Amino acid sequence: MTEYSDPIFRKLDRIPGAPNFVRYNFQELVKTTKAYVQFAKGMPTVSYVNGVKIITDLVLGLIDVNQARKAAVKLKDSPSRQPVIEFVDAFCLYAEQRKYKATPAYSDFETSFSIGRNLYLPVKPTLVALEHGQLKPIFVFGWKSVPLNTFQRRLLMTILEDAIFSLTDFSSSDAEIVFLPEVEEQRTPEIWHRGDYELLSENELRNQMEIFLSARDSAYPIIAEWLKTKKTSPSDIGDSKDDRDQLGFFDGDSPELR
């Protein structure tokens, strides 16, 4: 086995989708490296992939709110079942008042953002709505909190601006970023729109991509050394709450999170 042949390195080889990507990016190289190492070591226990399918069918009009809730309840028993039920219920409440009109023509729409030579991160809206004659990409996040600092929020919106709104079909569009964080034990919508955060300058963005690429390179030997020394006990795999809660949602690569 070569030094970097362990399956864990596949997570480092593959650039995370936009939501995960911004969570592992900080303005400090050391902090970014640490976050990316934890990303590789983490073992998320909850997946919202079934919740994604349910709310997508709901917005496309294939099922109604009652059917969406029933579909969530009927999911097989697993650590994901109750979180998915809560997520679907919260989204149903929001969707009832929001009254989305999504277009199935863009249900598989995905684009990418370049971060370096032959390196791209996927950018995929949860759905694309058609409102007032304009397409509007909608991103829905299942995180139980909104853990992004101001810089990370600016980075996310800058990535979306470059990857999506540079395209002719979306150049005049708004965006809707839907979070459903848990507030006082109840999921409550937090909504962002295009223009809510100042975009990073070209220089800021270029510097951050350099920091990420350096952190990514540094993560390989760190993980390799950790694999050599780690014990076989599950408690040594880094399954802390921070690890379990690190992954994003609806980003085209990792729908797991807590």
Side-chain angles (χ1 to χ4, degrees), residues 207-218:
N207 288 343
Q208 191 58 40
M209 295 307 98
E210 291 175 356
I211 287 174
F212 172 77
L213 292 173
S214 295
R216 181 173 178 261
D217 287 343
S218 299

Side-chain angles (χ1 to χ4, degrees), residues 11-12 16 20-26 28-42 152 212 215-216 219 222-223 242-243 246-247:
K11 294 180 72 175
L12 296 179
N20 286 338
F21 181 79
V22 299
R23 291 194 69 169
Y24 310 136
N25 268 267
F26 297 88
E28 302 85 8
L29 175 59
V30 172
K31 197 170 183 179
T32 301
T33 302
K34 181 178 179 181
Y36 210 54
V37 167
Q38 289 301 324
F39 157 68
K41 292 166 60 177
Q152 291 170 323
F212 172 77
R216 181 173 178 261
I222 293 173
I223 292 293
D242 289 340
D243 292 329
Q246 67 185 312
L247 294 185

Side-chain angles (χ1 to χ4, degrees), residues 19-186:
N20 286 338
F21 181 79
V22 299
R23 291 194 69 169
Y24 310 136
N25 268 267
F26 297 88
Q27 292 172 278
E28 302 85 8
L29 175 59
V30 172
K31 197 170 183 179
T32 301
T33 302
K34 181 178 179 181
Y36 210 54
V37 167
Q38 289 301 324
F39 157 68
K41 292 166 60 177
M43 296 184 66
T45 59
V46 175
S47 172
Y48 283 80
V49 65
N50 289 318
V52 175
K53 296 176 182 177
I54 293 171
I55 70 166
T56 299
D57 286 348
L58 170 66
V59 174
L60 289 175
L62 302 178
I63 58 176
D64 60 26
V65 167
N66 289 332
Q67 290 171 321
R69 290 185 169 122
K70 288 179 180 178
V73 171
K74 289 180 179 179
L75 292 173
K76 67 178 182 180
D77 190 31
S78 73
S80 300
R81 182 174 177 272
Q82 188 58 38
V84 168
I85 290 173
E86 294 170 0
F87 166 74
V88 169
D89 184 62
F91 185 83
C92 283
L93 289 173
Y94 175 68
E96 282 184 304
Q97 65 171 356
R98 177 61 177 76
K99 301 187 185 304
Y100 285 111
K101 293 182 180 179
T103 169
Y106 282 81
S107 59
D108 295 322
F109 172 70
E110 181 176 341
T111 183
S112 62
F113 174 80
S114 174
I115 62 172
R117 180 177 296 179
N118 298 322
L119 288 175
Y120 301 89
L121 64 91
V123 180
K124 180 176 175 60
T126 309
L127 57 102
V128 176
L130 181 60
E131 299 180 339
H132 309 297
Q134 288 190 328
L135 297 170
K136 176 186 286 189
I138 312 293
F139 295 82
V140 185
F141 293 72
W143 299 335
K144 284 191 174 182
S145 64
V146 184
L148 306 179
N149 61 32
T150 300
F151 178 80
Q152 291 170 323
R153 296 175 187 217
R154 293 177 62 205
L155 176 59
L156 176 60
M157 300 308 284
T158 303
I159 289 172
L160 299 186
E161 191 73 27
D162 181 278
I164 293 182
F165 301 114
S166 61
L167 303 176
T168 301
D169 286 351
F170 296 94
S171 60
S172 300
S173 299
D174 186 15
E176 186 171 318
I177 318 295
V178 181
F179 294 92
L180 294 164
E182 194 171 73
V183 179
E184 296 182 354
E185 299 185 354
Q186 181 175 349

Side-chain angles (χ1 to χ4, degrees), residues 1-14 40-41 220 223 226-227:
M1 178 178 289
T2 61
E3 187 178 10
Y4 299 145
S5 62
D6 190 278
I8 196 172
F9 291 106
R10 295 174 189 169
K11 294 180 72 175
L12 296 179
D13 292 338
R14 186 182 183 190
K41 292 166 60 177
Y220 282 89
I223 292 293
W226 173 75
L227 287 170

